[in-house]
Amino acid sequence: MKKNHTLFKGFLIILFVFFSISAIAQPYTDSVYRHEIKSVEFYNSAKPASFPIIPLNSSETVTLGFDNLAGGTLNYHYTIEHCDAEWNSSNISTAEYLKNYNDDRILNYSYSIATVQKYTHYELKLPNENIAPKIPGNYILKVYENSDPSKLVLTRKLYVVSPKINIAAELVPSNDNATRQTNQKVNFTLDYGSLRVQNPSRDVRTLIMQNNRPETGILNTQPTYIRGTQLIYSDVTINDFPAVNEFRHFDTRTLKLNSQGIQHIYRDTANSVLMLTDPDRNKPNYTLEYDLNGSYYVLNQDGTDPRNDADYAHMLFSLATTKQPNAGSPYIVGRFNDYKLDEHSKMTFDAGLGKYVNSIFLKQGVYDYAYVWVDRKGKTDITALEGSYFETENDYQVLVYYRPSGARWEELVGYKMLNSLKK
């Protein structure tokens, strides 16, 4: 009996270790871990809402900004950690990828001015004299409380590139007749020049994303064919993306009058904005609309500095569709919520209205958003409520990673941005 008890305890310990390791090994994502943290922006400092990539050892920086709705002043620290192409930790010493210090405190903050919702705005620029990357690659930026990494506040993906590979890429119509009217295909060629590439399918990996939208990412490992130092990726079956549709958008740069997408604004002890009902857009024909490819800008045309004088409002969304609640649920997503499908982005069906509804607390600005359908089995469909049309204007990020035989980490050695309308 005692022997069986000991074996059972040993089994439990093995299970605990296994699940602990599994939890630690989860890839990093753009995430917010505290409900009071809002309006996280992370971009190349040269242009708000831009892709957060910088060249190694250059004068370029990225800017992080976020609000704490609890107000006051908290002791936030941050660091960056080197990762591979799939956002798993590289598991190397900080001395190998960081200059100067391992972590630092965020000292730049300001309090909201004349807003209904009080908050404290924090801001950070990287690299700086305390925290700077030493090698190229993917880095996860981690912000946490009281110098305790276990008290995570938010994480953000940072890309540091050292260009060593030439990229030639183009967008072409889908090779499949069934998807020619709905998809966009990326073909590309890499020229690695003098780099030591012994096994291209192992040493070089290329990630392609549409509009910096994580769930669209396709990781290429096997070239279609090789010509000298050129790796050519043009197989008819690869990198064929649903073009989806232009993003929906609304404008709350002022809360004094109705603007695009808004039905009514209520201003009292809290700001509430009733949006116009959104239709199901999975229709036969494409309609041109100008969008931000999923991004958003914090703006306030009635103030002087939206970082601390833009207010917050409860945005009341509604969606009209024939899809039934017993078949699944729609979710509202965009860069503003990291495209997360969770309880905050889930729409609920209001039987009285005959519509799906949701309320999201957002800072003033210009926002893009879209609806994603998730069926009862958990299958996600980004085109079910938006449609998909090859005419849609999209940005594509092409990121090339290099890890030669024997290397202990993966480097980002190439980056190219494509636009479906710009040749």
Side-chain angles (χ1 to χ4, degrees):
M1 187 73 177
K2 186 175 180 181
K3 182 179 179 181
N4 289 340
H5 180 68
T6 303
L7 287 173
F8 180 70
K9 283 179 67 177
F11 177 69
L12 286 179
I13 290 171
I14 291 170
L15 276 180
F16 174 78
V17 172
F18 172 77
F19 285 115
S20 297
I21 293 172
S22 297
I24 294 170
Q26 291 300 312
Y28 288 112
T29 62
D30 286 343
S31 294
V32 176
Y33 301 95
R34 303 293 179 86
H35 67 87
E36 69 272 17
I37 302 300
K38 300 288 185 182
S39 306
V40 181
E41 297 180 279
F42 191 52
Y43 54 85
N44 184 297
S45 303
K47 184 181 179 182
S50 58
F51 191 63
I53 187 169
I54 54 172
L56 182 68
N57 297 325
S58 72
S59 60
E60 293 185 36
T61 64
V62 288
T63 297
L64 170 72
F66 64 93
D67 295 342
N68 184 338
L69 302 194
T73 306
L74 288 176
N75 184 11
Y76 288 128
H77 281 243
Y78 67 95
T79 190
I80 55 176
E81 181 179 350
H82 195 275
C83 298
D84 65 14
E86 297 177 88
W87 294 100
N88 300 295
S89 174
S90 297
N91 292 316
I92 55 178
S93 166
T94 55
E96 296 181 273
Y97 64 81
L98 278 183
K99 299 177 183 178
N100 303 327
Y101 302 104
N102 293 342
D103 81 339
D104 190 26
R105 184 181 175 186
I106 300 178
L107 298 174
N108 186 5
Y109 60 88
S110 58
Y111 302 113
S112 58
I113 301 170
T115 57
V116 174
Q117 171 63 55
K118 303 304 180 186
Y119 59 86
T120 305
H121 178 78
Y122 293 83
E123 195 163 290
L124 167 70
K125 289 188 185 297
L126 282 169
N128 54 51
E129 60 184 10
N130 293 328
I131 301 290
K134 188 183 290 185
I135 59 177
N138 286 350
Y139 284 84
I140 195 74
L141 167 62
K142 296 187 279 189
V143 177
Y144 40 89
E145 280 188 21
N146 300 324
S147 197
D148 184 350
S150 69
K151 296 180 178 178
L152 269 180
V153 173
L154 63 89
T155 49
R156 278 296 176 269
K157 293 178 179 179
L158 166 64
Y159 302 83
V160 179
V161 62
S162 179
K164 296 175 183 176
I165 282 183
N166 184 59
I167 307 171
E170 62 176 347
L171 280 160
V172 299
S174 173
N175 293 104
D176 188 343
N177 286 332
T179 57
R180 187 170 286 267
Q181 298 300 312
T182 62
N183 285 25
Q184 296 168 345
K185 186 179 186 309
V186 179
N187 289 336
F188 66 97
T189 299
L190 308 179
D191 193 330
Y192 59 82
S194 60
L195 283 183
R196 181 168 56 91
V197 177
Q198 297 177 341
N199 183 344
S201 62
R202 181 196 62 201
D203 300 347
V204 179
R205 301 199 288 177
T206 303
L207 178 72
I208 304 178
M209 284 187 295
Q210 183 189 80
N211 299 322
N212 190 17
R213 194 168 177 172
E215 73 269 30
T216 66
I218 297 175
L219 190 62
N220 291 259
T221 58
Q222 183 64 49
T224 306
Y225 55 95
I226 302 170
R227 184 171 59 213
T229 60
Q230 292 185 332
L231 309 177
I232 299 160
Y233 301 78
S234 59
D235 189 276
V236 296
T237 63
I238 63 174
N239 303 318
D240 204 341
F241 293 81
V244 200
N245 204 341
E246 310 297 352
F247 282 84
R248 305 171 195 251
H249 39 270
F250 65 85
D251 184 346
T252 53
R253 284 177 292 179
T254 179
L255 295 176
K256 294 180 179 179
L257 52 87
N258 296 354
S259 56
Q260 186 175 21
I262 293 173
Q263 182 175 332
H264 193 78
I265 298 173
Y266 303 91
R267 303 186 69 189
D268 195 2
T269 54
N271 299 313
S272 297
V273 178
L274 179 62
M275 304 286 290
L276 294 169
T277 297
D278 287 316
D280 187 325
R281 298 197 301 173
N282 194 355
K283 308 296 182 183
N285 298 317
Y286 166 79
T287 301
L288 173 65
E289 289 188 47
Y290 295 100
D291 67 357
L292 307 172
N293 286 337
S295 294
Y296 73 99
Y297 295 87
V298 171
L299 297 167
N300 177 19
Q301 68 184 40
D302 301 317
T304 58
D305 188 346
R307 290 177 296 181
N308 53 34
D309 66 17
D311 214 335
Y312 278 80
H314 297 276
M315 307 299 300
L316 310 174
F317 296 91
S318 61
L319 170 69
T321 176
T322 57
K323 290 187 176 296
Q324 297 300 306
N326 59 0
S329 300
Y331 291 74
I332 183 169
V333 298
R335 288 301 305 164
F336 70 89
N337 66 358
D338 301 322
Y339 296 101
K340 288 286 194 295
L341 304 177
D342 57 24
E343 68 275 13
H344 303 295
S345 61
K346 185 177 181 178
M347 309 284 286
T348 57
F349 187 72
D350 187 310
L353 295 174
K355 302 172 185 176
Y356 292 91
V357 297
N358 193 4
S359 175
I360 304 178
F361 202 45
L362 296 174
K363 201 172 185 178
Q364 282 181 265
V366 181
Y367 287 74
D368 270 9
Y369 65 99
Y371 292 104
V372 172
W373 180 258
V374 180
D375 68 19
R376 292 183 62 187
K377 296 181 179 179
K379 183 180 179 182
T380 300
D381 189 343
I382 64 175
T383 67
L385 298 167
E386 301 294 349
S388 190
Y389 311 91
F390 77 93
E391 299 98 329
T392 302
E393 183 265 330
N394 288 307
D395 288 331
Y396 290 87
Q397 292 80 29
V398 182
L399 299 137
V400 184
Y401 298 90
Y402 171 62
R403 183 173 187 165
S405 178
R408 295 172 46 245
W409 62 79
E410 201 165 20
E411 298 188 351
L412 178 58
V413 295
Y415 169 70
K416 191 177 187 68
M417 198 274 282
L418 297 176
N419 183 274
S420 59
L421 297 185
K422 299 174 183 176
K423 303 299 181 182

